Amino acid sequence: MADRPSGTVAAAASSGPGTISGNRGLMLEEPLIFEQGMAGRTAVDVPEVPKHQDRLGGLKRQNPIGLPGLSEPQVVRHYTRLSQKNYAIDMGVYPLGSCTMKHNPRLNEKAVRMPGLADLHPMQPVSTVQGALELIDTLAHWLKVLTGMPAVALSPAAGAHGELCGILAIRAAQVAKGDARKRILVPESAHGTNPATAAAAGYEVDPVPADARGRVDVAAFKAKLGPDVAGTMITNPNTCGLFENDIQELAAAIHSVGGYFYCDGANFNAIVGRVRPGDLGVDAMHINLHKTFSTPHGGGGPGAGPVVFSDALAPYAPVPYVVHGKGGFDLVEHDETGKAFGRLKGFHGQMGMFVRALAYMMSHGADGLRHVSGDAVLNANYLLAGLKDELTPAFEGTCMHEALFNDSFLDGTGVTTLDFAKAMIDEGYHPMTMYFPLVVHGALLMEPTETESRDALDRYIESVKGLAKRAKAGDKAYFEGCPYHTPRRRLDETLAARSPHLRWKPEEAKKAAE
Amino acid sequence: MRYLPLTDEDRRAMLAKIGVPSVESLYRDVPAGALLKDPVDLPRHAGELEVERAIGAMAAKNLGTGSVPSFLGAGAYRHHVPASVDHLIQRGEFLTSYTPYQPEVTQGTLQYLFEFQTQVALLTGMDVANASMYDGATATVEAVMMANRVTRRKKAVISGSLHPHYRQVIETYGEHTGFAVDAAPYDPEAREDILKKIDKDTSCVVIQNPSFFGHLIDFAALSEAAHAVGALVIAVCTEAISYGLVRAPGNTGCDVAVAEGQSIGNSLGFGGPYVGLFACKEKFLRQMPGRLAGQTVDVDGKRGWVLTLSTREQHIRREKATSNICTNSGLCALAFTIHLTLLGEAGLQRLAELNHATASNLADRLAKIPGVKLLNETFFNEFTLALPKPAIPVVEAMARRRVLGGVPVARLVAGKPELENLLLVAATETVTEADMAALETALKESLAEVK
């Protein structure tokens, strides 16, 4: 640690003597593709275009597009260099709370690329895709058994899309009864997608405070109930990493006024194989396949957000869905009951994610999935136990799959949660989630998942404790300068927002040449 | 349990450190009776070989487009994707990274998103583009909702050229979130006059080019009429390769361009995941949905990128956000941008020309079959045939002959007898001379077979 700069934020101190090229060993500078392309060059050899009748009707493009031309080696090098500027779960601990960064098995990648899956067109005759429908049906079966819910809609593209699916089913069910309603109760600790989804579906969002234990305030919840309440959206385990122990009481309360219970299943990974949401009074819940069932996050997607439904809501689920027909599996693409609330997406859903998720489920099995949730919870509590003396836990007692701290351990140090996170980057870790959930001041939310070994957790704990000690020792300037050892240091987000520069423009090349 | 590092000894030692007797005791907040004591009724864990075998068996029951002559389109197209695309997107640093919320350790993702946004803006002729949406259909409905916000109006006019799934998604959102949808009848012969539907309550007109039925559409008059009453024109495209040859929406007066980006870089994969493209004029920037990567500098003055304008987004604005979405389609956007970088201007144009030429020659060939009528005067790489028989059984009969001969319109639009005999046929660069001959034969035989 002796060679670490401290006391100044000076750039020179951090980067050492400059190099001629601007590269720093393995840290390679890489221009934009637009800065290295040549007109006329291509990395794809397209066969000769045969003689044909032009049928463009005079609508042929008249201006050049402006795309750069590169060869294959240039392209491979470009993206390889870019990849090396990313942190990833393949590289190390990625304790980003609420995002569930777990190992992405490569078997799943192999499975999704199999001929007969990767090259299936969504509109082939169903007689030619019986295996694909069987796979979807198998996935649906696993999800239904694991959640204890009788039905599932598979088409939602991600968590927030699943939320919309659930809320629209609630709406459709109430409208069908001639009982359209206005309000949705959403705890203040909820992920931002919950209020955004309820608002998108035209509902008034009524926030419910958290109590001192980090759970939904039951009395406040009940006080808000009324005949105009359509339902509630509750995350369980919640975003504080705690199980809502009054969950059945909340479910009964919402049902007593004719409302429905939407459960945000973002944290299903903490309970999979051990608790079935269907036993808790849930009417609808989305499952982020990219969290609980390990489909890769891919730098921000794609995800998949199937929604499981209770019997009460099942008839209102959107098209399409798979059924068992006379000659095998069939796909219902047009609602004939008049009840389905509609369609949310083109085609049939995120098939590639279904394949990966099923491979993950089959690999673990009913027995292994209990270890997935158990180890995730064990690892989080191990972090909590290892860090509770140096950091300040937000709530007393044990946690579920993520450990939540507030920033009071930094009081008087001048170091912010953000500074602390940036210092973790230099230690070789992706930071935890910061400033979320909003109900905890300066929140630091750590989710190790079942992927981490005890050794990895021990090293992580030592690093975080060391940083906390360093902050308390008054090394504020060090933290303000972090990170020092990354391809780029702290970036000016204010500038980016004040003068949005969202694309490269040809003028920039001319300017650079002058 | 190959993915789980903890041993029983680890677990014992960790529980001792935590000070609890068992993992179960960490679940003490779960109501009594809801905590399962035993595994649920599903198979036990399985090795890599067993799982691969089980999924492989399901895959083997399908007829992949790669194994037979295939002419399927209707919003999803089989193209050749260069080997380097799939190699590069599987680099763990891309595959297993999260949304780039910590820009110092995600410059790779942020730079390719910035490049992606630039490519999408260039292709569509628009000023700005976002970092991708779920797919073409959801990008389209997000565009409609943006137009509703921008114009403070609540009526979307939908052209009969639009993909039926896209229309159904817009109708679903409209019905349940409170905006009106005035949809024209499906327009297989590109004859509609949608101008009469546009009035001062119209927030936007949604039109697809090439149309769902393959026609190329000139927007000029429509754009003028829409703008005259303050409505926006949303141009949808479901075949992104067409941008290489067909006039861009930004050059024909459109305000928003949305597209399904699957054709570039992404496999068919039975319908997803795909990648939605979203681009618009700069003046709508702050009403745009979705993530945006923006250029800035770091404390050392070096150029870098961050996610920006997040005050539009749900994690900051909650119920006041421009959209509820969080996840986008990052990895599919990466595949898109790599494939397009490989193609470059010259490659994309030539690929687009090859698609057009192949389809044009195929259309000539099929139109000669007795009783078969080509409905298109214009098209890019897909056209509509009016068959003398219902298209669904004809396609089934062709599939029995191991030819995937097109998509019946009735598969996507139920209950319209006037569309029953229509068949969409697409031909990309993957189609060979032999494939065309096989289709011709299969179609003739199937028409004879179906009553």
Side-chain angles (χ1 to χ4, degrees), chain B residues 235-260:
Chain B
V236 180
C237 174
T238 64
E239 170 46 298
I241 297 288
S242 70
Y243 286 132
L245 194 60
V246 178
R247 201 171 300 169
N251 300 333
T252 53
C254 298
D255 302 283
V256 189
V258 287
E260 174 52 69

PDB file of all heavy atoms in Angstrom, chain B residues 235-260:
ATOM      1  N   ALA B 235     -41.630   6.448 -38.237  1.00  0.00           N
ATOM      2  CA  ALA B 235     -41.324   5.501 -39.310  1.00  0.00           C
ATOM      3  C   ALA B 235     -40.762   4.224 -38.708  1.00  0.00           C
ATOM      4  O   ALA B 235     -39.740   4.243 -38.029  1.00  0.00           O
ATOM      5  CB  ALA B 235     -40.312   6.108 -40.273  1.00  0.00           C
ATOM      6  N   VAL B 236     -41.451   3.125 -38.964  1.00  0.00           N
ATOM      7  CA  VAL B 236     -41.056   1.827 -38.419  1.00  0.00           C
ATOM      8  C   VAL B 236     -40.355   1.024 -39.512  1.00  0.00           C
ATOM      9  O   VAL B 236     -40.745   1.098 -40.683  1.00  0.00           O
ATOM     10  CB  VAL B 236     -42.299   1.048 -37.933  1.00  0.00           C
ATOM     11  CG1 VAL B 236     -41.917  -0.310 -37.367  1.00  0.00           C
ATOM     12  CG2 VAL B 236     -43.071   1.863 -36.908  1.00  0.00           C
ATOM     13  N   CYS B 237     -39.348   0.273 -39.135  1.00  0.00           N
ATOM     14  CA  CYS B 237     -38.687  -0.611 -40.082  1.00  0.00           C
ATOM     15  C   CYS B 237     -38.428  -1.936 -39.378  1.00  0.00           C
ATOM     16  O   CYS B 237     -37.941  -1.946 -38.249  1.00  0.00           O
ATOM     17  CB  CYS B 237     -37.368   0.016 -40.538  1.00  0.00           C
ATOM     18  SG  CYS B 237     -36.377  -1.056 -41.590  1.00  0.00           S
ATOM     19  N   THR B 238     -38.811  -3.050 -40.009  1.00  0.00           N
ATOM     20  CA  THR B 238     -38.552  -4.336 -39.360  1.00  0.00           C
ATOM     21  C   THR B 238     -37.415  -5.094 -40.032  1.00  0.00           C
ATOM     22  O   THR B 238     -37.071  -6.189 -39.614  1.00  0.00           O
ATOM     23  CB  THR B 238     -39.809  -5.234 -39.359  1.00  0.00           C
ATOM     24  OG1 THR B 238     -40.139  -5.541 -40.708  1.00  0.00           O
ATOM     25  CG2 THR B 238     -40.983  -4.547 -38.678  1.00  0.00           C
ATOM     26  N   GLU B 239     -36.845  -4.522 -41.083  1.00  0.00           N
ATOM     27  CA  GLU B 239     -35.732  -5.174 -41.774  1.00  0.00           C
ATOM     28  C   GLU B 239     -34.612  -4.144 -41.912  1.00  0.00           C
ATOM     29  O   GLU B 239     -34.578  -3.342 -42.864  1.00  0.00           O
ATOM     30  CB  GLU B 239     -36.207  -5.714 -43.137  1.00  0.00           C
ATOM     31  CG  GLU B 239     -35.148  -6.219 -44.105  1.00  0.00           C
ATOM     32  CD  GLU B 239     -34.099  -7.135 -43.501  1.00  0.00           C
ATOM     33  OE1 GLU B 239     -33.365  -6.691 -42.596  1.00  0.00           O
ATOM     34  OE2 GLU B 239     -33.992  -8.295 -43.969  1.00  0.00           O
ATOM     35  N   ALA B 240     -33.704  -4.142 -40.917  1.00  0.00           N
ATOM     36  CA  ALA B 240     -32.715  -3.067 -40.830  1.00  0.00           C
ATOM     37  C   ALA B 240     -31.726  -3.075 -41.990  1.00  0.00           C
ATOM     38  O   ALA B 240     -31.115  -2.044 -42.291  1.00  0.00           O
ATOM     39  CB  ALA B 240     -31.971  -3.167 -39.492  1.00  0.00           C
ATOM     40  N   ILE B 241     -31.565  -4.215 -42.661  1.00  0.00           N
ATOM     41  CA  ILE B 241     -30.659  -4.248 -43.817  1.00  0.00           C
ATOM     42  C   ILE B 241     -31.158  -3.292 -44.908  1.00  0.00           C
ATOM     43  O   ILE B 241     -30.380  -2.757 -45.690  1.00  0.00           O
ATOM     44  CB  ILE B 241     -30.544  -5.695 -44.380  1.00  0.00           C
ATOM     45  CG1 ILE B 241     -29.920  -6.646 -43.350  1.00  0.00           C
ATOM     46  CG2 ILE B 241     -29.748  -5.723 -45.683  1.00  0.00           C
ATOM     47  CD1 ILE B 241     -28.448  -6.458 -43.090  1.00  0.00           C
ATOM     48  N   SER B 242     -32.460  -3.046 -44.928  1.00  0.00           N
ATOM     49  CA  SER B 242     -33.016  -2.179 -45.981  1.00  0.00           C
ATOM     50  C   SER B 242     -32.468  -0.757 -45.894  1.00  0.00           C
ATOM     51  O   SER B 242     -32.458  -0.038 -46.891  1.00  0.00           O
ATOM     52  CB  SER B 242     -34.546  -2.166 -45.909  1.00  0.00           C
ATOM     53  OG  SER B 242     -34.989  -1.478 -44.755  1.00  0.00           O
ATOM     54  N   TYR B 243     -32.022  -0.349 -44.722  1.00  0.00           N
ATOM     55  CA  TYR B 243     -31.458   1.002 -44.595  1.00  0.00           C
ATOM     56  C   TYR B 243     -30.266   1.199 -45.536  1.00  0.00           C
ATOM     57  O   TYR B 243     -29.904   2.323 -45.861  1.00  0.00           O
ATOM     58  CB  TYR B 243     -30.986   1.257 -43.154  1.00  0.00           C
ATOM     59  CG  TYR B 243     -32.099   1.487 -42.152  1.00  0.00           C
ATOM     60  CD1 TYR B 243     -32.102   0.813 -40.927  1.00  0.00           C
ATOM     61  CD2 TYR B 243     -33.126   2.402 -42.397  1.00  0.00           C
ATOM     62  CE1 TYR B 243     -33.095   1.038 -39.979  1.00  0.00           C
ATOM     63  CE2 TYR B 243     -34.125   2.625 -41.451  1.00  0.00           C
ATOM     64  CZ  TYR B 243     -34.101   1.943 -40.250  1.00  0.00           C
ATOM     65  OH  TYR B 243     -35.086   2.168 -39.319  1.00  0.00           O
ATOM     66  N   GLY B 244     -29.646   0.087 -45.941  1.00  0.00           N
ATOM     67  CA  GLY B 244     -28.497   0.184 -46.835  1.00  0.00           C
ATOM     68  C   GLY B 244     -28.861   0.609 -48.247  1.00  0.00           C
ATOM     69  O   GLY B 244     -28.000   1.049 -49.014  1.00  0.00           O
ATOM     70  N   LEU B 245     -30.138   0.468 -48.601  1.00  0.00           N
ATOM     71  CA  LEU B 245     -30.523   0.700 -49.990  1.00  0.00           C
ATOM     72  C   LEU B 245     -31.691   1.674 -50.133  1.00  0.00           C
ATOM     73  O   LEU B 245     -31.821   2.349 -51.144  1.00  0.00           O
ATOM     74  CB  LEU B 245     -30.904  -0.648 -50.631  1.00  0.00           C
ATOM     75  CG  LEU B 245     -31.030  -0.707 -52.142  1.00  0.00           C
ATOM     76  CD1 LEU B 245     -29.716  -0.327 -52.814  1.00  0.00           C
ATOM     77  CD2 LEU B 245     -31.440  -2.122 -52.577  1.00  0.00           C
ATOM     78  N   VAL B 246     -32.524   1.729 -49.117  1.00  0.00           N
ATOM     79  CA  VAL B 246     -33.764   2.507 -49.211  1.00  0.00           C
ATOM     80  C   VAL B 246     -33.565   3.854 -48.509  1.00  0.00           C
ATOM     81  O   VAL B 246     -32.856   3.937 -47.508  1.00  0.00           O
ATOM     82  CB  VAL B 246     -34.928   1.730 -48.556  1.00  0.00           C
ATOM     83  CG1 VAL B 246     -36.211   2.545 -48.596  1.00  0.00           C
ATOM     84  CG2 VAL B 246     -35.121   0.389 -49.253  1.00  0.00           C
ATOM     85  N   ARG B 247     -34.200   4.851 -49.032  1.00  0.00           N
ATOM     86  CA  ARG B 247     -34.097   6.204 -48.477  1.00  0.00           C
ATOM     87  C   ARG B 247     -34.427   6.212 -46.981  1.00  0.00           C
ATOM     88  O   ARG B 247     -35.404   5.596 -46.546  1.00  0.00           O
ATOM     89  CB  ARG B 247     -35.061   7.129 -49.231  1.00  0.00           C
ATOM     90  CG  ARG B 247     -34.707   8.585 -49.123  1.00  0.00           C
ATOM     91  CD  ARG B 247     -35.565   9.414 -50.056  1.00  0.00           C
ATOM     92  NE  ARG B 247     -35.395   9.035 -51.456  1.00  0.00           N
ATOM     93  CZ  ARG B 247     -36.189   9.459 -52.441  1.00  0.00           C
ATOM     94  NH1 ARG B 247     -37.223  10.232 -52.171  1.00  0.00           N
ATOM     95  NH2 ARG B 247     -35.967   9.096 -53.677  1.00  0.00           N
ATOM     96  N   ALA B 248     -33.613   6.916 -46.213  1.00  0.00           N
ATOM     97  CA  ALA B 248     -33.742   6.889 -44.752  1.00  0.00           C
ATOM     98  C   ALA B 248     -34.915   7.743 -44.287  1.00  0.00           C
ATOM     99  O   ALA B 248     -35.251   8.746 -44.915  1.00  0.00           O
ATOM    100  CB  ALA B 248     -32.452   7.396 -44.120  1.00  0.00           C
ATOM    101  N   PRO B 249     -35.548   7.368 -43.163  1.00  0.00           N
ATOM    102  CA  PRO B 249     -36.685   8.128 -42.646  1.00  0.00           C
ATOM    103  C   PRO B 249     -36.347   9.606 -42.416  1.00  0.00           C
ATOM    104  O   PRO B 249     -37.168  10.479 -42.681  1.00  0.00           O
ATOM    105  CB  PRO B 249     -37.007   7.443 -41.309  1.00  0.00           C
ATOM    106  CG  PRO B 249     -36.366   6.113 -41.358  1.00  0.00           C
ATOM    107  CD  PRO B 249     -35.249   6.178 -42.354  1.00  0.00           C
ATOM    108  N   GLY B 250     -35.134   9.860 -41.954  1.00  0.00           N
ATOM    109  CA  GLY B 250     -34.741  11.249 -41.682  1.00  0.00           C
ATOM    110  C   GLY B 250     -34.677  12.090 -42.941  1.00  0.00           C
ATOM    111  O   GLY B 250     -34.777  13.322 -42.878  1.00  0.00           O
ATOM    112  N   ASN B 251     -34.542  11.450 -44.097  1.00  0.00           N
ATOM    113  CA  ASN B 251     -34.485  12.195 -45.351  1.00  0.00           C
ATOM    114  C   ASN B 251     -35.854  12.338 -45.999  1.00  0.00           C
ATOM    115  O   ASN B 251     -35.979  12.836 -47.108  1.00  0.00           O
ATOM    116  CB  ASN B 251     -33.541  11.497 -46.348  1.00  0.00           C
ATOM    117  CG  ASN B 251     -32.129  11.411 -45.797  1.00  0.00           C
ATOM    118  OD1 ASN B 251     -31.723  12.235 -44.989  1.00  0.00           O
ATOM    119  ND2 ASN B 251     -31.385  10.400 -46.220  1.00  0.00           N
ATOM    120  N   THR B 252     -36.883  11.841 -45.318  1.00  0.00           N
ATOM    121  CA  THR B 252     -38.223  11.942 -45.898  1.00  0.00           C
ATOM    122  C   THR B 252     -39.187  12.618 -44.927  1.00  0.00           C
ATOM    123  O   THR B 252     -40.390  12.410 -45.003  1.00  0.00           O
ATOM    124  CB  THR B 252     -38.764  10.546 -46.277  1.00  0.00           C
ATOM    125  OG1 THR B 252     -38.662   9.706 -45.129  1.00  0.00           O
ATOM    126  CG2 THR B 252     -38.005   9.935 -47.410  1.00  0.00           C
ATOM    127  N   GLY B 253     -38.634  13.381 -44.010  1.00  0.00           N
ATOM    128  CA  GLY B 253     -39.483  14.206 -43.153  1.00  0.00           C
ATOM    129  C   GLY B 253     -40.014  13.557 -41.898  1.00  0.00           C
ATOM    130  O   GLY B 253     -40.839  14.136 -41.196  1.00  0.00           O
ATOM    131  N   CYS B 254     -39.560  12.337 -41.572  1.00  0.00           N
ATOM    132  CA  CYS B 254     -40.068  11.681 -40.362  1.00  0.00           C
ATOM    133  C   CYS B 254     -39.429  12.284 -39.111  1.00  0.00           C
ATOM    134  O   CYS B 254     -38.322  12.806 -39.146  1.00  0.00           O
ATOM    135  CB  CYS B 254     -39.786  10.192 -40.418  1.00  0.00           C
ATOM    136  SG  CYS B 254     -40.628   9.438 -41.791  1.00  0.00           S
ATOM    137  N   ASP B 255     -40.134  12.164 -38.001  1.00  0.00           N
ATOM    138  CA  ASP B 255     -39.659  12.743 -36.743  1.00  0.00           C
ATOM    139  C   ASP B 255     -39.006  11.711 -35.845  1.00  0.00           C
ATOM    140  O   ASP B 255     -38.114  12.022 -35.069  1.00  0.00           O
ATOM    141  CB  ASP B 255     -40.847  13.361 -35.993  1.00  0.00           C
ATOM    142  CG  ASP B 255     -41.536  14.409 -36.836  1.00  0.00           C
ATOM    143  OD1 ASP B 255     -40.991  15.510 -36.935  1.00  0.00           O
ATOM    144  OD2 ASP B 255     -42.598  14.097 -37.415  1.00  0.00           O
ATOM    145  N   VAL B 256     -39.513  10.478 -35.919  1.00  0.00           N
ATOM    146  CA  VAL B 256     -38.988   9.401 -35.084  1.00  0.00           C
ATOM    147  C   VAL B 256     -38.811   8.178 -35.982  1.00  0.00           C
ATOM    148  O   VAL B 256     -39.683   7.879 -36.795  1.00  0.00           O
ATOM    149  CB  VAL B 256     -39.962   9.027 -33.937  1.00  0.00           C
ATOM    150  CG1 VAL B 256     -39.297   8.060 -32.968  1.00  0.00           C
ATOM    151  CG2 VAL B 256     -40.444  10.260 -33.199  1.00  0.00           C
ATOM    152  N   ALA B 257     -37.678   7.501 -35.837  1.00  0.00           N
ATOM    153  CA  ALA B 257     -37.463   6.250 -36.574  1.00  0.00           C
ATOM    154  C   ALA B 257     -37.236   5.153 -35.554  1.00  0.00           C
ATOM    155  O   ALA B 257     -36.379   5.276 -34.675  1.00  0.00           O
ATOM    156  CB  ALA B 257     -36.252   6.364 -37.492  1.00  0.00           C
ATOM    157  N   VAL B 258     -38.048   4.106 -35.657  1.00  0.00           N
ATOM    158  CA  VAL B 258     -37.850   2.958 -34.776  1.00  0.00           C
ATOM    159  C   VAL B 258     -37.721   1.720 -35.653  1.00  0.00           C
ATOM    160  O   VAL B 258     -38.251   1.684 -36.759  1.00  0.00           O
ATOM    161  CB  VAL B 258     -39.011   2.777 -33.769  1.00  0.00           C
ATOM    162  CG1 VAL B 258     -38.972   3.834 -32.696  1.00  0.00           C
ATOM    163  CG2 VAL B 258     -40.355   2.774 -34.472  1.00  0.00           C
ATOM    164  N   ALA B 259     -37.014   0.728 -35.129  1.00  0.00           N
ATOM    165  CA  ALA B 259     -36.789  -0.450 -35.967  1.00  0.00           C
ATOM    166  C   ALA B 259     -36.507  -1.671 -35.122  1.00  0.00           C
ATOM    167  O   ALA B 259     -36.094  -1.572 -33.963  1.00  0.00           O
ATOM    168  CB  ALA B 259     -35.623  -0.208 -36.919  1.00  0.00           C
ATOM    169  N   GLU B 260     -36.720  -2.817 -35.744  1.00  0.00           N
ATOM    170  CA  GLU B 260     -36.233  -4.070 -35.202  1.00  0.00           C
ATOM    171  C   GLU B 260     -34.824  -4.252 -35.774  1.00  0.00           C
ATOM    172  O   GLU B 260     -34.661  -4.290 -36.994  1.00  0.00           O
ATOM    173  CB  GLU B 260     -37.148  -5.222 -35.641  1.00  0.00           C
ATOM    174  CG  GLU B 260     -36.653  -6.594 -35.262  1.00  0.00           C
ATOM    175  CD  GLU B 260     -36.317  -6.678 -33.798  1.00  0.00           C
ATOM    176  OE1 GLU B 260     -37.232  -6.622 -32.977  1.00  0.00           O
ATOM    177  OE2 GLU B 260     -35.105  -6.754 -33.453  1.00  0.00           O
TER     178      GLU B 260
END
